[in-house]
Amino acid sequence: MKLILLGPPGAGKGTQAEVLTKKLGIETISTGVMLRAAMRDGTDLGKLAKEYIDQGKLVPDEVVVGIVKERLSQDDCKNGFILDGFPRTIPQAEALTNAGVEIDKVLSLEVDDEIIVERLTGRRECKACGTPYHIKNKPVPESGKCVCGGEIIQRADDNEETIRNRIKVYHEQTEPIKEYYASLGKVVSVDSAGTVEETNAAVISALGL
Ligand code: AMP
């Protein structure tokens, strides 16, 4: 299965990817997780990405396309993968097609903007492994640490001003790719305004798993 998870920031892509990765036995490739890892490591890529991410802007297409192509060429992607947060623009979607990557399905998670703002301001994540948490919906373990032992943090771009900018960028640059894949008959839409469990049940059923 080669699956794209599409949806605005805070739609639950990372959370659903976590479940689907286990169920399908395939890797999740998250450009956000890769870029944040590069930022933590202080690499040239990380320094460049930080300038965009901190403002809620998209990292340039050629940069992101490069890291995704490299990642997809690795052995553990041979039997399929889940893309979380990529593609995010029409040129990125076209780059995937031009690289000969045949996507099976695009799962579009649908949720209103105001729910997103509430969700993202309460979101936390593991600094080490990227596992998502939420102050209301998926509280951090009692130990205060992630299940992997990592430190739990709030992302710098999960503040209201940056969140609103990321939502605007989503509508302007990312939403059009739904139409791109719909014209290829690949899009399956799921309402993700409910709980994690409700969304997950809808996702499993929509994908016929
Ligand atoms: P995410 O973790 O998917 O919400 O991504 C966080 C930030 O990383 C985004 O707001 C962008 O600045 C950057 N980013 C992640 N994926 C991409 C992508 N496919 N194209 C451009 N920028 C991206």
Side-chain angles (χ1 to χ4, degrees):
M1 169 80 96
K2 292 177 182 148
L3 179 69
I4 290 175
L5 292 187
L6 186 65
K13 299 188 295 298
T15 303
Q16 294 305 322
E18 207 189 331
V19 180
L20 291 172
T21 274
K22 284 187 199 135
K23 198 170 176 77
L24 296 169
I26 52 179
E27 293 290 316
T28 291
I29 316 297
S30 163
T31 41
V33 168
M34 288 195 282
L35 293 169
R36 281 188 292 282
M39 278 163 59
R40 271 197 307 277
D41 294 345
T43 63
D44 288 346
L45 168 68
K47 284 178 197 148
L48 181 133
K50 186 171 167 38
E51 288 177 34
Y52 296 90
I53 292 180
D54 283 355
Q55 297 177 59
K57 290 183 182 166
L58 293 184
V59 175
D61 288 335
E62 61 276 17
V63 175
V64 187
V65 166
I67 59 171
V68 171
K69 274 193 188 167
E70 213 270 322
R71 182 66 188 87
L72 292 183
S73 71
Q74 291 171 12
D75 274 357
D76 59 352
C77 293
K78 268 196 195 130
N79 296 327
F81 49 79
I82 300 167
L83 285 174
D84 164 13
F86 182 94
R88 248 182 166 99
T89 63
I90 293 278
Q92 291 180 17
E94 287 173 345
L96 208 52
T97 306
N98 295 340
V101 178
E102 271 256 354
I103 296 300
D104 296 304
K105 277 183 187 155
V106 176
L107 179 71
S108 174
L109 297 178
E110 314 275 340
V111 59
D112 287 346
D113 292 355
E114 287 313 311
I115 297 181
I116 294 171
V117 175
E118 195 197 314
R119 276 188 189 170
L120 291 190
T121 45
R123 184 161 79 168
R124 303 291 182 270
E125 74 169 29
C126 172
K127 194 175 171 185
C129 72
T131 295
Y133 293 91
H134 190 279
I135 50 171
K136 277 196 213 146
N137 308 332
K138 191 185 171 196
V140 170
E142 268 182 31
S143 63
K145 299 254 181 210
C146 177
V147 282
C148 82
E151 185 192 345
I152 309 286
I153 54 151
Q154 179 170 26
R155 280 169 46 173
D157 59 347
D158 277 349
N159 66 77
E160 188 162 346
E161 191 190 342
T162 312
I163 289 166
R164 293 210 180 267
N165 200 33
R166 287 159 63 203
I167 294 172
K168 186 166 168 273
V169 166
Y170 174 78
H171 289 306
E172 287 172 1
Q173 299 192 55
T174 307
E175 219 168 10
I177 71 175
K178 210 192 296 178
E179 198 46 50
Y180 175 89
Y181 286 111
S183 69
L184 302 172
K186 310 259 183 197
V187 178
V188 180
S189 295
V190 164
D191 177 12
S192 79
T195 63
V196 169
E197 291 73 23
E198 284 163 353
T199 303
N200 188 240
V203 164
I204 300 288
S205 141
L207 293 176
L209 299 175

